[in-house]
Amino acid sequence: MPQIWIDGKFYDGDQAKISVFDHGVLYGDGVFEGIRAYGGRVFRLKQHLDRLYASAKAIWLDIPMTQDAMADLVNECIKINSLSDAYVRLVVTRGFGDLGLDPRKCKKPTIFCIADKIALFPAEVAKRGLTMMTAPTPVNHREGLSPRIKSLNYLAHILAKIEAINAGADEALMLESTGEVAEGVGENIFCVTNHTLRTPPAYSGILRGVTRDAVIELGPSAGLEVREESLNRYDLFTADEVFLTGTAAEVVGVVKLDGRKIGCGSVGKVTQDLAARFRDLVTRER
Ligand code: PXG
C-alpha cells in the first residue's frame, strides 16, 4: 500500500482522502504535475516544479510551500515508498470550500503527493507502435484556458481518448480549433522527415512537455535538424516517422494515423535512436 502525503501527513493508500468540498473535486480548480524518477533520481524536477508554479500563478493560486520544500517532498515520497523507478503525481487544488465556485471560500490550498508506478501503454503496444485517430474534440483554445496550464481540467483530452478508443485506435491526435496539430492526450507529438525533426511550437496550443524539451535538446546529437513549427495532418501522413513524448509515455512510435500507414508502418530508426538516447539521458543526468 503506497504512503500518500496530504497536507503535511502520510496516509496509507486506502486512507488517503480529500473532502468532497474540495474545489479540485467540485470544479477541477487546481493544477498538477506528473514526474518520473529513474534509479532513485528525479528527472528534471526543477522543470516540473517551475511548470507547476507557473500553472498555479496562471490560475491565481498561491502555493503555500516554497519550491525547495516541494522538491524535498517529492524526494521524500519516493524514499518512504522505497521506490527506485517511480511515477510521482503532485496535485495542488484551490482547497476546501463550499458549494459555490467563489474561491474566496477556500482558505488554503490542498496539496497531495502520490509516488507509485505507471505503465501507460502495454510493452507490446509500444513495441509495435501506436495507432492514432484524430479526435473530433479540439484542445482548449490557446487564448481561453491555456493548454500551457497543467490544470485539473482534462475533459477535452479525456473525450478525445474515448473517441479514439471507441474507434479502435490506441491514442488520439488532438488538433487546435484552427486545425493545426497540437498533441496527444497526454503526450507531445513529433515527426521526422529527411533527418529533420519537427514539433509544434511551445506558444501554440500545447502543454510544453519536459520530455519534449529533452528530445529537442537531443536532436542535434542524433544528427537531426530541429524545427519548432506549426504542423498539419498532411505533414504527419507524409512523414518518415511520427512519435509521441511524455513523462508517462516516454518516447513511443506511431505507425498509423487515421488509417494511413506512417513511413514503413513500424517504429522507425530515428524514433528508436531517440528513445535510446532519452533512456540514456534519464539514467545519466544529475
Ligand atoms: N501534453 C499533455 C496534455 C500532457 O498532459 C504532455 C503533453 C507531456 O508532458 P511531459 O512534461 O510529461 O513530457 C502531458 C503530460 C497520464 C499522464 O496518466 C499524462 C501526462 C503526464 C503524466 C501522466 O496519461 N501528461
Side-chain angles (χ1 to χ4, degrees):
M1 188 70 68
Q3 292 290 304
I4 316 293
W5 189 95
I6 308 174
D7 288 334
K9 274 197 247 159
F10 280 100
Y11 299 85
D12 284 337
D14 58 355
Q15 294 302 315
K17 294 172 183 162
I18 64 164
S19 169
V20 293
F21 290 101
D22 194 291
H23 279 209
V25 178
L26 288 175
Y27 300 113
D29 186 357
V31 293
F32 77 104
E33 272 303 315
I35 304 169
R36 259 194 205 262
Y38 297 89
R41 212 167 47 238
V42 178
F43 182 64
R44 301 209 167 170
L45 182 53
K46 180 174 187 308
Q47 283 90 330
H48 282 288
L49 294 182
D50 284 349
R51 187 171 67 186
L52 179 73
Y53 281 73
S55 291
K57 188 162 191 191
I59 70 159
W60 217 302
L61 177 64
D62 275 328
I63 301 179
M65 195 190 245
T66 65
Q67 216 168 302
D68 284 347
M70 196 68 92
D72 290 344
L73 170 64
V74 169
N75 281 310
E76 194 185 349
C77 288
I78 294 169
K79 212 163 164 197
I80 205 166
N81 285 293
S82 309
L83 292 163
S84 165
D85 292 337
Y87 175 77
V88 179
R89 173 66 54 95
L90 193 50
V91 182
V92 185
T93 79
R94 188 80 58 188
F96 178 93
D98 69 5
L99 291 179
L101 56 78
D102 186 342
R104 288 175 299 189
K105 299 285 173 58
C106 305
K107 295 303 175 205
K108 119 178 139 36
T110 301
I111 304 176
F112 61 89
C113 185
I114 307 167
D116 207 344
K117 300 260 179 196
I118 193 169
L120 203 59
F121 300 108
E124 64 277 12
V125 172
K127 189 151 185 271
R128 71 148 154 80
L130 305 180
T131 60
M132 289 185 94
M133 187 202 83
T134 304
T137 304
V139 291
N140 291 321
H141 194 282
R142 67 173 89 154
E143 304 307 344
L145 174 62
S146 172
R148 302 257 327 241
I149 301 172
K150 201 162 168 60
S151 81
L152 295 180
N153 289 260
Y154 258 62
L155 260 186
H157 292 69
I158 289 163
L159 295 185
K161 185 78 181 181
I162 294 170
E163 284 157 352
I165 291 167
N166 287 347
D170 298 314
E171 179 60 53
L173 170 68
M174 298 190 74
L175 304 178
E176 295 200 54
S177 31
T178 56
E180 289 156 287
V181 167
E183 58 190 353
V185 304
E187 309 86 17
N188 293 112
I189 192 158
F190 287 78
C191 69
V192 184
T193 306
N194 291 331
H195 301 285
T196 300
L197 187 58
R198 289 184 292 164
T199 193
Y203 58 76
S204 64
I206 63 166
L207 183 79
R208 180 173 173 183
V210 171
T211 320
R212 168 192 182 276
D213 285 0
V215 167
I216 287 174
E217 281 168 40
L218 290 170
S221 65
L224 302 165
E225 185 196 333
V226 183
R227 286 201 230 143
E228 291 180 64
E229 62 185 31
S230 159
L231 299 171
N232 56 31
R233 286 198 313 151
Y234 171 86
D235 295 308
L236 302 183
F237 292 146
T238 57
D240 299 334
E241 301 183 26
V242 171
F243 63 86
L244 302 176
T245 64
T247 297
E250 301 176 301
V251 177
V252 59
V254 175
V255 294
K256 210 179 233 193
L257 172 62
D258 298 329
R260 281 87 151 175
K261 198 156 75 168
I262 308 288
C264 57
S266 58
V267 178
K269 287 214 160 45
V270 174
T271 302
Q272 288 181 42
D273 180 45
L274 285 170
R277 285 171 192 274
F278 180 72
R279 263 195 309 278
D280 182 56
L281 178 70
V282 298
T283 48
R284 193 187 65 221
E285 192 171 83
R286 300 215 154 250

